[in-house]
Amino acid sequence: MSASYRGRLAPSPTGYMHLGVARTSLVAWLRARAVGGALVLRIEDIDAPRVVPGAAHAILGELRWLGLDWDEGPDVGGPHAPYTQLARLTLYTQAIEQLRATGLVYACTCSRKEIAQIASAPHGDLGPLYPGTCRNAPSHSGRPAALRFRMPEPAPSFVDGLQGSYAAGVADDFVLRRSDGVYAYQLAVVVDDLAMGITEVVRGDDLLSSTPRQIALYRAFGAREPAFFHVPLVLDADGRRMSKRFGSMSVTQCRQAGATPEQVIGVLAHTLGLAAPHETLTAAQLVTRFDPSKLPTSATQLDTAQLFLQAQT
């Protein structure tokens, strides 16, 4: 890596930022700052029904409170504005038309229930794999159609910067635009990362399985895919992965409980192998000690109750 490194922070405004997302954001920030690279902040609000009003503003405040800044994005500007996906819909339309012109897009009228009934068993985080029912022609007339991408076989493999070699083993034609007109995450992130010149994508390893789909899209656009660096997830005290759905502790809750940014960063850094137990330090102080080889490659359990106790001492 070099000063030409371009990373990104891409939170979804579906609620406050929980500690698992904060931890991954810290790694993304350190990856960029350790090499003097640039960091872009993009709000991924493509799934409008799930967006919580005010969440984007709250997340910006949480990142700043933790000391995680950015070089392009909201309140900073830059050459790739706008930095919200809902303001970039024209780009996604153009991307689909580009793929359609090469025969890589087709209409699909299958319902989710129909796919679940005839598809193979759920494949990890990808869910049921699409069996290709509409590949040659839509299976139902008069229904609103989703648009699917003709996935190459075999699906692309890649070498992850933390997890090593990854081969998908399966390929299915995934959705680019839903039947209700909403663009899919897979398409939006590729179009955005390509337009913003992102050289490495740092994110949670729950997205490992979808990476071959995105690599296939990059190649369909005639572009080279970025490097990928998938950070293991954080589990709560009950062994569940941290999630807004489960009400996992947010950065805002830590702040309200009296924790300092240095305490939260210290706890997150400890789970990454970058700090001693109960050590307090700023994100900036971690830059010189950042060593990717020290990062864990499997999920880490975090008892957030300990953070509350630390905040009260």
Side-chain angles (χ1 to χ4, degrees), residues 188-244:
V189 295
V190 169
V191 172
D192 290 342
D193 286 341
L194 185 58
M196 295 176 180
I198 302 304
T199 61
E200 182 180 63
V201 173
V202 179
R203 59 190 181 188
D205 68 0
D206 55 323
L207 293 171
L208 258 174
S209 59
S210 67
T211 302
R213 292 177 169 183
Q214 293 164 29
I215 291 175
L217 278 178
Y218 275 104
R219 295 176 182 178
F221 289 130
R224 181 178 179 179
E225 66 269 16
F228 291 92
F229 194 94
H230 286 88
V231 183
L233 301 181
V234 180
L235 308 179
D236 62 21
D238 296 323
R240 300 178 304 183
R241 79 182 189 187
M242 288 194 170
S243 168
K244 295 170 187 174

Side-chain angles (χ1 to χ4, degrees), residues 15 34 45 53-54 72 95 105 152 155 160 177 185 232 245 257 259 282 307:
D45 56 356
E72 293 180 28
V105 176
D160 187 74
R177 193 182 70 198
Y185 167 83
R245 183 173 68 249
T282 65
L307 184 57

Side-chain angles (χ1 to χ4, degrees), residues 61-259:
E62 290 172 320
L63 288 169
R64 289 194 183 95
W65 185 75
L66 289 171
L68 306 182
D69 60 349
W70 53 93
D71 305 294
E72 293 180 28
D75 301 336
V76 175
H80 301 98
Y83 293 93
T84 61
Q85 291 182 324
L86 285 178
R88 300 172 66 83
L89 299 182
T90 299
L91 293 177
Y92 311 144
T93 300
Q94 294 170 347
I96 285 184
E97 291 309 308
Q98 181 180 342
L99 295 174
R100 194 197 298 271
T102 57
L104 293 176
V105 176
Y106 66 89
C108 172
T109 54
C110 296
S111 68
R112 289 186 178 183
K113 182 178 180 180
E114 289 166 343
I115 294 171
Q117 288 174 339
I118 62 178
S120 59
H123 189 75
D125 291 306
L126 296 180
L129 299 180
Y130 182 65
T133 307
C134 296
R135 231 176 186 244
N136 297 319
S139 57
H140 298 83
S141 61
R143 282 187 184 177
L147 297 180
R148 289 188 180 271
F149 175 72
R150 294 183 187 274
M151 186 73 171
E153 293 188 16
S157 59
F158 67 101
V159 178
D160 187 74
L162 182 60
Q163 304 291 343
S165 297
Y166 184 87
V170 295
D172 76 327
D173 296 347
F174 57 92
V175 170
L176 298 173
R177 193 182 70 198
R178 297 184 338 208
S179 61
D180 61 2
V182 175
Y183 291 96
Y185 167 83
Q186 308 286 2
L187 176 74
V189 295
V190 169
V191 172
D192 290 342
D193 286 341
L194 185 58
M196 295 176 180
I198 302 304
T199 61
E200 182 180 63
V201 173
V202 179
R203 59 190 181 188
D205 68 0
D206 55 323
L207 293 171
L208 258 174
S209 59
S210 67
T211 302
R213 292 177 169 183
Q214 293 164 29
I215 291 175
L217 278 178
Y218 275 104
R219 295 176 182 178
F221 289 130
R224 181 178 179 179
E225 66 269 16
F228 291 92
F229 194 94
H230 286 88
V231 183
L233 301 181
V234 180
L235 308 179
D236 62 21
D238 296 323
R240 300 178 304 183
R241 79 182 189 187
M242 288 194 170
S243 168
K244 295 170 187 174
R245 183 173 68 249
F246 297 143
S248 297
M249 182 181 289
S250 69
V251 173
T252 294
Q253 286 176 305
C254 292
R255 185 176 184 177
Q256 292 172 343

